Structure formats: C-alpha cells, structure tokens
Amino acid sequence: MNGDFSIASGAAAANQLLSRKDAPTAVFCFSDEMAIGVIGTAKRLGRRVPDDLSVVGFDDIQFARYTDPSLTTVAQPMREIGEGTVRLLLDILGGNEVAPVSVTLPHTLMVRNSTAPPAR
C-alpha cells in the first residue's frame, strides 16, 4: 500500500487491507503516525489490537507510548541522524565533493502492547 506517512493515509490503507477476504494478522507501517491510523481503523472495523491484528510503527514518536494500545515501534537515533545531516550539509556548503554513501545507524525495537503472537 502507498501512503504519505500521515494518520489519514494509514487509516485509508488499513481500510483497504482489513476489508480483504484474506486480511492480514499484522501490519508494519513506515511511520508511527500511519500506525496510529491503522489502529483507529482496526478498532472502527471491530478488530482487536493486538488480538486480531498486530501493528508496528517506525520512528518512536512521543505519542507512540500513549496510544491505546501503546504502539510497538522502531526507535531511531534521532540525534545522530541530525548530527550526520548537519556535517553533510556543512561539507556541501563548504564546497567539498561529497560521494553518496549508505549509513546504517543502530536502532531499537520498542515492544509495547500493539503486538502479539498470531492467534492459532
């Protein structure tokens, strides 16, 4: 499914996914905001999170721990991302040639209450 990382796009995608005959038992979203939209739509459709549907987000935004249920998510090292971005920008502005590079920073799975093993 496509989305724009918003709550509304998560809700729209969940509406499509959960209306399918072969609806998923778990959804991984590209942002916590999309995951919040998925949880809301799942509840509106009578699905229990995490009993019927596990939901995982990405970013560990401030509100992730306060959703109902609290959102399982992937936390990123935001400070390190910001520092690396500023260093790169300063190199570019300083006229230095910057080659494209892939950087993988450590991340943490924050297991909360929006996930559970699939029902048997």
Side-chain angles (χ1 to χ4, degrees):
M1 303 263 107
N2 291 324
D4 63 7
F5 301 94
S6 68
I7 292 173
S9 70
N15 199 45
Q16 288 180 357
L17 284 171
L18 299 178
S19 297
R20 295 172 49 147
K21 188 174 186 174
D22 61 342
T25 60
V27 175
F28 178 85
C29 300
F30 287 127
S31 75
D32 287 346
E33 289 189 32
M34 291 180 78
I36 291 167
V38 170
I39 290 172
T41 296
K43 286 182 174 183
R44 184 178 55 75
L45 295 174
R47 305 285 169 84
R48 298 169 300 151
V49 176
D51 300 321
D52 301 324
L53 179 71
S54 287
V55 180
V56 179
F58 196 90
D59 287 330
D60 195 27
I61 63 172
Q62 175 183 356
F63 303 107
R65 71 191 76 218
Y66 301 108
T67 60
D68 182 29
S70 58
L71 181 63
T72 295
T73 184
V74 178
Q76 302 182 80
M78 298 308 282
R79 181 180 182 97
E80 289 88 344
I81 291 170
E83 288 172 352
T85 302
V86 169
R87 279 193 299 274
L88 177 63
L89 182 58
L90 290 173
D91 279 347
I92 292 169
L93 292 173
N96 299 320
E97 188 172 326
V98 179
V101 62
S102 177
V103 177
T104 301
L105 296 173
H107 49 276
T108 305
L109 178 63
M110 307 298 291
V111 179
R112 296 193 180 110
N113 298 320
S114 66
T115 53
R120 295 181 184 226

